[in-house]
Amino acid sequence: MTFSRCLSGLAALSLLASVSLSGAWAQSPRVEKLIGQMTLEEKIGQLNLLSGHHAVTGPYATQDVEQALLKGEVGGLFNVYGAEYTRNLQRLAVTKTRLGIPLLLGYDVLHGYRTIFPVPLGQAASFDLAAIEQADRIAAREASAAGVNWIYAPMLDITRDPRWGRIVEGPGESTWWGSRIAAARVRGMQGLSLSSPDSVLACAKHFAGNGATEGGRDYSGTELSERAFREVHLPPFKAAVDAGVKCMMTAFNTVDGVPGVSNEKLIEGTLRKEWGFKGIVVSDFGAIGELVNHGVADDPAEAALLALRAGVDIDMQGKNFITDLPKLVKSGAIPEKAIDTAVRRILTAKEELGLFDNPYGRSDPAREAVVMALPEHRAAAQAMAEKSLVLLKNDNVLPLSNKLQRIAVIGPLAQAKADTLGPWAGHGDPDEAVTVHDGIKRLVPLAELLHATGGTVTRSSSEDIAAAVRTAAKAEVVILVLGEKSTMSGEAASRSNLNLPGDQMALARAVLALGKPTAVVLMNGRPLTIEDLHNEAPAIVEAWYPGTMGGLAVARLLFGEIEPLGRLPVTFPRNVGQIPIYHDQLPTGRPAGEKSQPYTSTWLDVPATPLYPFGYGLTWTKFEASAPRVDKPVVRPGDVMLVSVDVTNTGKVQGTAQIMLFLRQKSTRISRPVRDFKGFARASIAPGKTVTLTIPVRDTDLFFARSDGTFGPPEAGFIDVQTGFDAGATKSLKVDWRPKG
Ligand code: BGC
């Protein structure tokens, strides 16, 4: 083992320890006393996090967890839940270990614990921060009753590559929107007081750059400019820190050749020094040992040293810290003070959670018995699902009449309970999920429902399709529920082909050939390439994976009980070859026109535009919007400029209009995106009426990574203020930006 290389880390580590110690730590007497009493082994035990008995989210699980716990070799467990079980684990830690230090108990609760909300990408489509915050408040309330005190969310990876299965877990493609979601989720999970038994420690992940993973493959490298990293990928994490997040999980991927778990510049530099983060940093699953595969460490011991030096406090499931840190400290390669710094952060987090005073507060069987899937939790999940649905196309098919007598509900996902919940569905119970079929049944109980699967998501025989066509032929209208199985989205679920999987397009074509009024409901965790479906089906609703109450929400939309409120938080490409395609791309010297022109920035075989732009979503009515107006023609630092747009409902029914605001900075010497989403406003408008929607623009909305490396406003110049219903059709106004004078 390369002890000489390890020893060279000594100077840096001593420095690190003193820097962290001299930081603004409000040292707790209890924590300091404990550190004074701990052996080196007990300290390193606190840095060790093992997967418990329930679920496995990585390639391997630990057996004798309880034995390790009793030996003081564990500071936290994850994949554990259930009030009785976690109470027993806490009891072992508190009463049977020498110092009685309670455990961090972690779990991935991405969109609900037992009451499952739409997947995070679907929630982002709601453009409703209060509802997003409430979803995570409810998730925390349920998870904490089952003893969980640490949630591995929010997932804040901005991504422009729908091949990456994990796009489903995050906020979509907009940094501005992702940053607002970050703060809302942290507030929701951590609540007003972290020590309250219904609050949990939120853990923002994956820090950082995971969304730029090359080719959309999981665990691969990223090639990001410093500018893109700082402007696009880091701001949601900064927003989480500003909202008080207490934990960060490092990313698997490399950025500029450095894996997340050994990225000292990012963790010790940006996160702790620059942003003032005072919480804990946990590695991702086994990521420390993977430094050897990355080729940046020669062996596991060096990997442990690099991760600790980078500022990682907790080793998730890798056993690298527990195995190698004792040797590294004894050899002098790591000063014990550096271990103390990590222990101090972990014990402080436990203290802030109230675990020392009330270790069993969260593992409460009585609370667990009443709090799970409460009617008000399900109502909130249904309301969120209703807000997340995006109407992609509607040629006079929807809304359906509730007088219909025979309705065919066709497709492999029409009755798929687990898929309705989606990936990373916490401890959700598929039996509690309302499918689209069941939602329609509940809503129009007198109608006869005819159902055929038409095969599975991945395969349909000609007989499957023929049976579906025979069933559809008997109905007045057809609802086709198509998409991806939930296991096709999430971690380790990247796809290189984003068409409807299996033979579902053939199924859709055969059913559409009947000429019946047909609406397609899509369930998927990412933008799919559905140009053919768009051209051939008269109506399409994007339902994402809508969660426990999802099918009822979809039914209510189909029958017009609610209006379509969702707007796309991510661009839908026409085909995989267009990826990456997103709203805030950089301009080109040769912009593509409406029609294909030679020597412009486009493709020979597909237009330069996406199928559906960012922000897209239809309503039951039609709106027209004026060009933007501003309340001041010149903007200076500290100003808030108000941008107003008049929106008229030119249709026949009441409806909600959403105006989106995009900025383009000019004269910056550095090319800035053609439009960058920076705000929105919405209003319900009666037919024939006009409403003025106003969106504030702050000078901080203009901040960017300048050529000297600093983050700030541009030099004097012009801003194009662009407004519209989505990124595809905007009207603009030129505004003068003057920092001085
Ligand atoms: C994932 C994390 C998750 C962890 C624990 C990893 O494989 O990348 O997002 O929190 O497992 O389940």
Side-chain angles (χ1 to χ4, degrees):
M1 108 117 224
T2 52
F3 265 116
S4 53
R5 274 179 73 183
C6 288
L7 279 167
S8 70
L10 185 62
L13 271 170
S14 330
L15 178 71
L16 172 150
S18 63
V19 166
S20 299
L21 282 172
S22 66
W25 276 100
Q27 290 190 359
S28 139
R30 168 158 46 197
V31 168
E32 294 312 311
K33 183 165 170 226
L34 272 173
I35 293 176
Q37 293 169 335
M38 291 168 93
T39 63
L40 177 64
E41 285 67 29
E42 284 167 333
K43 289 176 186 171
I44 292 172
Q46 286 298 308
L47 279 49
N48 191 27
L49 171 67
L50 295 180
S51 182
H53 292 157
H54 283 140
V56 182
T57 46
Y60 48 91
T62 319
Q63 297 308 311
D64 301 316
V65 167
E66 288 179 11
Q67 282 309 314
L69 200 166
L70 290 173
K71 282 195 260 166
E73 289 176 357
V74 182
L77 296 171
F78 69 116
N79 290 334
V80 288
Y81 48 80
E84 288 290 358
Y85 180 53
T86 54
R87 177 172 276 256
N88 189 40
L89 292 169
Q90 286 294 23
R91 193 183 52 76
L92 290 180
V94 170
T95 64
K96 303 274 189 235
T97 63
R98 192 176 76 90
L99 294 169
I101 299 173
L103 295 163
L104 287 174
L105 297 174
Y107 195 46
D108 291 281
V109 180
L110 273 292
H111 52 112
Y113 176 76
R114 169 80 168 270
T115 308
I116 304 302
F117 288 75
V119 287
L121 190 62
Q123 292 188 33
S126 73
F127 282 89
D128 188 331
L129 283 179
I132 292 173
E133 180 174 338
Q134 189 197 23
D136 275 351
R137 186 84 287 277
I138 290 171
R141 202 178 288 149
E142 291 188 352
S144 62
V148 173
N149 54 38
W150 187 22
I151 281 181
Y152 302 145
M155 191 281 214
L156 300 177
D157 295 319
I158 299 299
T159 187
R160 283 84 195 272
D161 195 332
R163 290 172 297 182
W164 193 45
R166 306 201 75 168
I167 191 172
V168 68
E169 298 172 47
E173 75 182 32
S174 160
T175 299
W176 183 88
W177 184 226
S179 301
R180 265 125 205 102
I181 289 178
R185 289 200 180 286
V186 170
R187 285 195 302 268
M189 282 184 249
Q190 297 195 164
L192 291 177
S193 159
L194 204 52
S195 63
S196 163
D198 70 357
S199 290
V200 296
L201 202 73
C203 193
K205 66 188 188 184
H206 305 88
F207 193 59
N210 215 347
T213 188
E214 213 169 72
R217 270 178 303 133
D218 253 331
Y219 321 118
S220 69
T222 60
E223 272 311 326
L224 275 175
S225 68
E226 179 75 13
R227 166 181 315 285
F229 191 44
R230 291 186 84 83
E231 284 178 1
V232 176
H233 296 271
L234 290 187
F237 291 96
K238 171 73 163 60
V241 170
D242 291 344
V245 77
K246 296 286 176 183
C247 171
M248 286 276 171
M249 186 187 295
T250 60
F252 282 123
N253 57 279
T254 58
V255 171
D256 200 17
V258 185
V261 77
S262 62
N263 199 332
E264 185 175 352
K265 185 174 154 206
L266 186 61
I267 303 171
E268 280 301 324
T270 306
L271 179 65
R272 291 216 167 95
K273 267 201 213 109
E274 203 182 306
W275 298 351
F277 174 71
K278 298 276 183 294
I280 52 177
V281 174
V282 60
S283 81
D284 205 340
F285 196 113
I288 297 177
E290 290 172 16
L291 288 176
V292 177
N293 292 350
H294 280 290
V296 305
D298 286 344
D299 52 34
E302 194 177 27
L305 177 122
L306 291 179
L308 192 85
R309 181 201 287 171
V312 173
D313 304 307
I314 299 180
D315 173 3
M316 183 194 287
Q317 189 65 11
K319 292 205 187 163
N320 292 84
F321 277 180
I322 195 90
T323 311
D324 290 308
L325 289 185
K327 287 182 263 174
L328 289 163
V329 173
K330 281 173 192 147
S331 71
I334 289 180
E336 192 164 340
K337 265 180 136 185
I339 308 286
D340 289 352
T341 301
V343 174
R344 181 171 291 109
R345 292 185 189 123
I346 295 163
L347 296 185
T348 303
K350 292 182 176 183
E351 183 167 61
E352 287 176 345
L353 276 167
L355 290 178
F356 287 109
D357 297 321
N358 188 9
Y360 312 113
R362 291 180 180 78
S363 306
D364 182 345
R367 192 157 70 89
E368 185 182 45
V370 294
V371 83
M372 297 299 163
L374 277 173
E376 61 258 39
H377 294 184
R378 289 182 191 223
Q382 184 180 327
M384 172 55 102
E386 290 175 357
K387 290 171 181 174
S388 71
L389 303 172
V390 186
L391 183 62
L392 297 177
K393 184 175 178 190
N394 187 19
D395 279 351
N396 298 320
V397 169
L398 299 176
L400 301 173
S401 156
N402 57 11
K403 307 258 170 353
L404 288 166
Q405 295 186 347
R406 212 167 300 127
I407 302 166
V409 187
I410 307 285
L413 294 170
Q415 275 284 39
K417 284 178 169 281
D419 296 308
T420 302
L421 296 183
W424 292 107
H427 192 38
D429 181 353
D431 285 342
E432 289 172 359
V434 181
T435 62
V436 173
H437 176 278
D438 294 351
I440 296 174
K441 184 91 214 144
R442 277 201 208 181
L443 202 69
V444 283
L446 300 181
E448 186 188 350
L449 290 203
L450 308 167
H451 171 57
T453 60
T456 67
V457 165
T458 49
R459 203 183 154 272
S460 305
S461 66
S462 46
E463 180 42 35
D464 292 331
I465 293 180
V469 171
R470 284 197 297 276
T471 305
K474 293 183 206 143
E476 295 154 276
V477 298
V478 184
I479 310 298
L480 264 172
V481 192
L482 308 175
E484 298 176 298
K485 279 200 75 56
S486 59
T487 46
M488 292 175 155
S489 277
E491 187 176 359
S494 295
R495 294 179 62 208
S496 66
N497 177 336
L498 300 183
N499 294 341
L500 276 173
D503 304 304
Q504 292 182 87
M505 194 58 214
L507 169 67
R509 283 199 170 113
V511 170
L512 288 165
L514 292 168
K516 305 254 174 197
T518 300
V520 176
V521 174
L522 288 174
M523 292 210 293
N524 44 262
R526 51 157 64 86
L528 295 175
T529 48
I530 47 165
E531 192 163 25
D532 288 347
L533 190 70
H534 174 83
N535 291 335
E536 297 172 39
I540 308 175
V541 174
E542 175 56 79
W544 316 102
Y545 297 109
T548 304
M549 300 302 293
L552 191 53
V554 170
R556 295 192 70 214
L557 184 79
L558 294 175
F559 286 87
E561 284 206 357
I562 53 169
E563 58 169 328
L565 286 172
R567 306 289 187 265
L568 294 180
V570 62
T571 304
F572 273 44
R574 293 175 191 274
N575 64 22
V576 164
Q578 284 191 319
I579 297 169
I581 184 165
Y582 49 95
H583 76 280
D584 52 337
Q585 281 178 317
L586 289 178
T588 154
R590 299 184 181 188
E594 295 261 303
K595 296 221 175 80
S596 177
Q597 295 278 335
Y599 299 101
T600 61
S601 184
T602 187
W603 295 272
L604 287 178
D605 53 351
V606 66
T609 54
L611 179 60
Y612 305 122
F614 174 82
Y616 177 83
L618 303 176
T619 63
W620 293 146
T621 186
K622 295 227 169 322
F623 296 105
E624 272 173 22
S626 71
R629 299 188 295 279
V630 291
D631 67 338
K632 41 181 85 67
V634 178
V635 190
R636 296 190 169 80
D639 276 355
V640 177
M641 174 175 67
L642 298 177
V643 179
S644 297
V645 176
D646 299 328
V647 185
T648 306
N649 183 339
T650 55
K652 293 195 176 57
V653 293
Q654 177 99 15
T656 299
Q658 174 159 308
I659 289 292
M660 306 185 96
L661 172 109
F662 304 90
L663 299 180
R664 175 173 179 185
Q665 294 158 240
K666 290 189 165 163
S667 357
T668 42
R669 310 294 170 250
I670 283 167
S671 192
R672 305 293 302 142
V674 284
R675 60 182 67 82
D676 197 358
F677 178 53
K678 293 290 179 185
F680 65 98
R682 45 169 59 181
S684 179
I685 307 177
K689 296 281 180 229
T690 299
V691 165
T692 301
L693 290 175
T694 300
I695 308 169
V697 177
R698 293 175 180 79
D699 59 350
T700 47
D701 290 328
L702 301 173
F703 281 24
F704 72 120
R706 298 178 290 205
S707 25
D708 63 359
T710 57
F711 212 71
E715 311 104 58
F718 294 100
I719 312 158
D720 267 349
V721 173
Q722 306 168 41
T723 51
F725 299 113
D726 57 52
T730 53
K731 295 178 176 168
S732 72
L733 175 77
K734 201 168 171 186
V735 172
D736 196 348
W737 158 256
R738 275 184 228 154
K740 296 180 204 100

